[in-house]
Amino acid sequence: MASSSTSVVVSNKEKENKNTKKVTLKSSDGESFEVDESVAMESQTIKHIIEDGHYSSLALSLSVKTTMASSSTSVVVSNKEKENKNTKKVTLKSSDGESFEVDESVAMESQTIKHIIEDGCANNEIPLPNVTSGILSRVIEYCKKHKEAAGESEPSVTSYTSNSTTNPLTEWDTEFVKVDQNTLFDLILAANYLDIKGLLDLTCKTVADMMKGKTPQEIRETFHIKNDYTPEEEAEVRKENQWAFE
Amino acid sequence: MDFWEDDNSDEMDIDNDLMDDCEEDSFSESEQESNVKRFQKLNIDDDFHVEYAPQRNTTAYGSSRCLEHIKSKEKMGIGDLVKDHALPFLPAKSICRFRSVSKEWNKWITNPFLAHKQSHCFQDISGFFCQIAGEHSFISCDPHSCGVPDPSFSFLPEPVILRTTCNGLICCQSCIEDNAYYICNPVNRQWKVLPGPNYYHGPGSAVALAFEPSALKFEANYQLVCAIRLADHLLCFEIYSSRSKSWRLVDALCCELGALSGDGFYMKGMVYWETLSGSVLAFDLTYEQFGIFPLPPECGPEGVLTKRHGELCYILPHKKDNEFAIRIYGDFKMVLKHSFPLELDDFGYTSGGLRALSCLNDDVLAILFGNRMITYHVKAQKVKTLGTVRPDGFVTCHPYVNSLVPVDHPLVSRQQANSRPCTSSSL
């Protein structure tokens, strides 16, 4: 390695977002560069330091000046960025003309979109004329969250110390459906149209909770259902199931 | 009750989920030949116009099945979606009430597919069947949405005592003659009497009903597991299977335990009985082996084995002076996992003490406080009274799920379903 005129200090910072572990590279003249650990490991030297665990405070002697350090890291960074850009994206277009670019894997949470992509017709935007931008953005949020959760290797931990269900995804789902009735209905329609079973079950379960204490007339009004019974027929059904009306 | 009158086997298109699966499989067949330029201009709807540029290796977005699939989904309004996808999450009483919403709703609700789907989708404890001195009553967790037409079991041909429940099915036993076992669902008043067991189930025996509603299997497959006392410290196990419609003695013999304290509890392929000496006899239905583990030393008749957070736990009320607390034990070692005080100041003094009944869901416990049945929301510390039981003796309380599960498969003939000549199910 080189003379002691320059030194590089490598320190490790664990970020809250565990998906991107960061590493700080400090050049000899004091400039710091924070990069993704995976990016920094393009350098075999730094890779060994990190792997050996000797990085809390280690001064490395490198005859590298700021400009060179920054240029090499910037090259490295841009290579990784290019790689990231290769994750396939699709564009979804809502009924009111707004476009949403999402990872293909996230969009494929929708069976409808999955079939369109697999049939090879998704080179252009995928138009979704039955879904407004407001609803589509929520649906995408749901798909992203559930795709993320599916990819995590960490199992949900049951802890008895807290009294709540500690599955964070369940709690997220509960918050997600705390919306007004019209939005909830639109989410059901969108989940059905886009064929996303998890979202359909979640929203329908929420509606079921809201329905269970209602009278048949209230159900008709809420969901715009026409009563096609004659009064005699309705009285007959009611009489057969009298216990259910008490 | 004419609940199952409609034979809707030709109306399978009501259940869109089944049809969807059929249609989706056909997509893979529509892969067309490659290297053919296609220009497709499609008018799907008057309002919806789709144009696609020339592409290689494409199958038309408008391959007709795909089109119809999406088109049929477009037609569905919120009412249809709620009927198909939300109803199965409701308890039986609400669903029966909604038969009067419209004729289409009535048709779907009386369709056996809906009953099957609901038995799988709805598994919440909806209330408790209480009995004392031959008298039965039902206390509902939510009287508007959960209930049964006849909580006295008068639809059965003879007087019975309630032995045990599981996921909407109830096991009763006749009080007279040969003490026959009945399996029934009080919602649809369907019942089945089991053939006599091969061994004598004397007073020291205990039963447990194992029933897991399945999304795939249409018929309710259940097992009645009986731990029979052969001698002072000798237990054997005889099991009735609804699939084989017969009794069978398993090889396992347990000679390590004294008396069992009551009927058992089923969870995730295992059946659990408490013993009077403070341990639990666990029987694995898959491997037909038993195991024994101890309950905490403070255990007693006021505690209960139940399910919380998907795991077996033991809930034990604890009283010191006039302060009440709940202790929850978990894991096979039954270690103390949690303990919290019960804020019951408004309820005043009670001489009856506390008895834990069940865990309704992860946050709510059902407790008998004197002769008052209450639910306690652990996080919110909220108490709600469900009802009262007779104060003059020990009332057994069995948790019950308001499920539409059929006991007698409506499409199977009576003769096929039952092996005994005079077993019948009322419709």
Side-chain angles (χ1 to χ4, degrees):
Chain A
M1 232 71 359
S3 63
S4 52
S5 56
T6 59
S7 63
V8 173
V9 173
V10 176
S11 64
N12 181 27
K13 263 189 219 167
E14 245 186 70
K15 291 286 182 173
E16 274 168 21
N17 183 358
K18 63 180 185 291
N19 285 337
T20 50
K21 225 176 172 188
K22 300 273 187 188
V23 151
T24 306
L25 307 175
K26 195 170 172 189
S27 72
S28 59
D29 43 357
E31 204 172 334
S32 291
F33 301 87
E34 196 180 84
V35 294
D36 284 2
E37 188 188 77
S38 52
V39 168
M41 306 247 273
E42 291 279 293
S43 153
Q44 291 298 308
T45 310
I46 296 175
K47 181 168 184 270
H48 292 309
I49 294 171
I50 291 172
E51 282 175 355
D52 288 352
H54 299 319
Y55 51 73
S56 55
S57 59
L58 181 72
L60 247 197
S61 300
L62 290 176
S63 56
V64 177
K65 289 182 190 158
T66 310
T67 48
M68 199 136 178
S70 62
S71 65
S72 56
T73 50
S74 66
V75 166
V76 164
V77 164
S78 68
N79 277 342
K80 277 289 175 181
E81 272 173 10
K82 265 194 201 153
E83 273 180 47
N84 285 336
K85 280 207 174 100
N86 285 338
T87 55
K88 256 178 148 186
K89 304 266 187 191
V90 296
T91 306
L92 309 174
K93 194 163 174 194
S94 69
S95 59
D96 45 336
E98 208 176 311
S99 289
F100 297 82
E101 199 189 48
V102 291
D103 285 349
E104 190 183 86
S105 58
V106 168
M108 306 249 275
E109 292 277 295
S110 154
Q111 293 296 307
T112 307
I113 295 177
K114 181 167 182 272
H115 288 125
I116 294 172
I117 293 175
E118 284 171 350
D119 282 357
C121 297
N123 285 353
N124 304 333
E125 287 187 329
I126 300 178
L128 301 171
N130 282 24
V131 190
T132 63
S133 55
I135 296 298
L136 185 55
S137 68
R138 281 187 202 264
V139 169
I140 289 171
E141 203 187 321
Y142 175 91
C143 293
K144 270 193 186 145
K145 181 70 182 181
H146 279 247
K147 190 76 201 167
E148 236 172 66
E152 272 172 19
S153 51
E154 196 185 300
S156 64
V157 175
T158 323
S159 156
Y160 285 90
T161 51
S162 83
N163 275 317
S164 59
T165 47
T166 51
N167 183 347
L169 194 58
T170 313
E171 285 179 9
W172 188 91
D173 280 349
T174 308
E175 287 305 308
F176 180 79
V177 286
K178 283 186 181 162
V179 293
D180 64 272
Q181 188 173 280
N182 283 330
T183 307
L184 187 61
F185 289 0
D186 286 338
L187 282 172
I188 291 177
L189 289 163
N192 175 60
Y193 177 65
L194 295 170
D195 199 352
I196 306 171
K197 187 176 189 320
L199 182 60
L200 187 61
D201 282 347
L202 172 65
T203 46
C204 283
K205 203 161 181 211
T206 310
V207 162
D209 280 338
M210 175 260 279
M211 279 167 79
K212 63 183 176 186
K214 287 197 191 305
T215 65
Q217 181 53 27
E218 286 167 342
I219 295 289
R220 289 187 206 115
E221 282 164 11
T222 309
F223 303 110
H224 315 298
I225 298 168
K226 187 171 185 303
N227 180 5
D228 53 354
Y229 281 119
T230 66
E232 297 81 33
E233 286 169 337
E234 191 179 340
E236 180 72 36
V237 174
R238 215 191 139 105
K239 191 171 133 204
E240 277 168 24
N241 300 281
Q242 189 55 43
W243 64 276
F245 289 83
E246 283 149 17
Chain B
M1 190 176 168
D2 60 350
F3 203 77
W4 301 114
E5 251 169 36
D6 275 349
D7 178 1
N8 287 314
S9 52
D10 54 319
E11 313 261 11
M12 282 180 67
D13 53 300
I14 287 172
D15 189 342
N16 286 304
D17 279 355
L18 291 176
M19 282 305 283
D20 286 351
D21 290 338
C22 296
E23 285 184 20
E24 280 167 16
D25 284 341
S26 64
F27 283 172
S28 50
E29 299 167 0
S30 62
E31 297 282 9
Q32 307 280 336
E33 62 281 5
S34 57
N35 295 324
V36 174
K37 282 196 177 185
R38 288 237 175 130
F39 181 68
Q40 291 272 332
K41 186 171 169 185
L42 302 158
N43 289 315
I44 297 174
D45 247 350
D46 289 338
D47 318 321
F48 179 26
H49 181 94
V50 175
E51 245 180 61
Y52 284 90
Q55 287 170 1
R56 282 184 308 157
N57 297 342
T58 64
T59 51
Y61 171 72
S63 74
S64 56
R65 279 183 176 131
C66 171
L67 201 58
E68 275 164 22
H69 179 67
I70 295 195
K71 209 170 173 188
S72 73
K73 283 197 188 287
E74 283 175 23
K75 277 187 194 151
M76 292 184 83
I78 189 70
D80 289 325
L81 288 176
V82 159
K83 167 173 74 74
D84 291 348
H85 299 286
L87 276 184
F89 289 112
L90 287 170
K93 184 170 177 178
S94 298
I95 295 182
C96 291
R97 187 165 63 244
F98 297 156
R99 285 182 64 183
S100 70
V101 166
S102 77
K103 288 185 181 172
E104 204 180 326
W105 277 52
N106 188 35
K107 215 175 190 179
W108 171 230
I109 286 169
T110 51
N111 186 321
F113 280 110
L114 185 274
H116 166 73
K117 209 169 170 188
Q118 190 262 2
S119 72
H120 176 250
C121 292
F122 180 78
Q123 295 189 23
D124 294 346
I125 291 175
S126 326
F128 293 85
F129 274 99
C130 307
Q131 79 180 347
I132 176 171
E135 225 179 76
H136 300 278
S137 61
F138 180 71
I139 295 182
S140 171
C141 292
D142 178 17
H144 282 303
S145 63
C146 302
V148 295
D150 179 11
S152 66
F153 296 96
S154 60
F155 57 90
L156 292 175
E158 41 182 348
V160 293
I161 52 163
L162 202 160
R163 292 298 300 264
T164 184
T165 63
C166 186
N167 280 330
L169 288 181
I170 297 186
C171 172
C172 305
Q173 193 173 25
S174 156
C175 303
I176 55 178
E177 275 189 43
D178 54 355
N179 300 117
Y181 289 111
Y182 287 83
I183 304 289
C184 68
N185 181 353
V187 165
N188 50 33
R189 291 186 267 223
Q190 289 180 8
W191 56 271
K192 184 172 166 159
V193 61
L194 303 189
N198 301 316
Y199 292 81
Y200 172 62
H201 296 186
S205 315
V207 301
L209 184 58
F211 168 51
E212 197 88 71
S214 156
L216 301 170
K217 296 194 192 114
F218 195 78
E219 260 186 69
N221 285 322
Y222 53 85
Q223 288 174 290
L224 187 66
V225 188
C226 305
I228 306 167
R229 180 153 302 283
L230 294 177
D232 203 17
H233 266 69
L234 193 59
L235 281 175
C236 70
F237 302 93
E238 198 180 11
I239 303 181
Y240 175 84
S241 156
S242 67
R243 220 176 302 177
S244 68
K245 297 183 181 32
S246 61
W247 291 92
R248 186 173 56 89
L249 194 74
V250 301
D251 292 334
L253 272 180
C254 174
C255 31
E256 297 142 56
L257 286 178
L260 299 177
S261 67
D263 291 322
F265 170 71
Y266 167 79
M267 203 190 98
K268 289 197 318 194
M270 305 267 297
V271 149
Y272 303 93
W273 289 280
E274 290 181 52
T275 72
L276 287 179
S277 53
S279 42
V280 175
L281 171 64
F283 186 83
D284 184 322
L285 288 165
T286 318
Y287 298 106
E288 297 189 351
Q289 302 256 330
F290 69 89
I292 300 168
F293 57 90
L295 282 174
E298 313 83 49
C299 69
E302 67 275 17
V304 73
L305 281 173
T306 184
K307 179 164 108 173
R308 188 167 184 250
H309 289 305
E311 302 293 331
L312 183 72
C313 70
Y314 184 71
I315 299 183
L316 185 66
H318 178 77
K319 183 179 175 185
K320 190 176 176 183
D321 304 326
N322 261 345
E323 304 261 298
F324 296 103
I326 294 286
R327 291 183 179 165
I328 301 182
Y329 302 82
D331 290 345
F332 277 109
K333 297 202 177 132
M334 284 292 155
V335 295
L336 180 63
K337 291 287 189 174
H338 204 80
S339 173
F340 47 86
L342 268 186
E343 307 298 332
L344 293 175
D345 296 326
D346 306 334
F347 281 70
Y349 176 76
T350 179
S351 58
L354 283 189
R355 187 177 7 142
L357 296 177
S358 179
C359 192
L360 296 187
N361 56 53
D362 293 338
D363 290 321
V364 179
L365 305 176
I367 298 165
L368 203 57
F369 182 65
N371 73 323
R372 217 180 330 205
M373 192 181 290
I374 62 172
T375 56
Y376 186 78
H377 193 286
V378 168
K379 244 198 300 187
Q381 293 187 341
K382 259 181 71 181
V383 180
K384 183 176 123 178
T385 302
L386 296 183
T388 56
V389 300
R390 264 172 60 173
D392 57 330
F394 186 84
V395 182
T396 62
C397 304
H398 291 96
Y400 167 72
V401 173
N402 212 193
S403 156
L404 291 169
V405 58
V407 177
D408 195 12
H409 193 301
L411 299 179
V412 172
S413 80
R414 209 59 43 72
Q415 279 169 324
Q416 282 175 285
N418 300 297
S419 51
R420 251 161 81 141
C422 26
T423 56
S424 64
S425 182
S426 61
L427 272 186

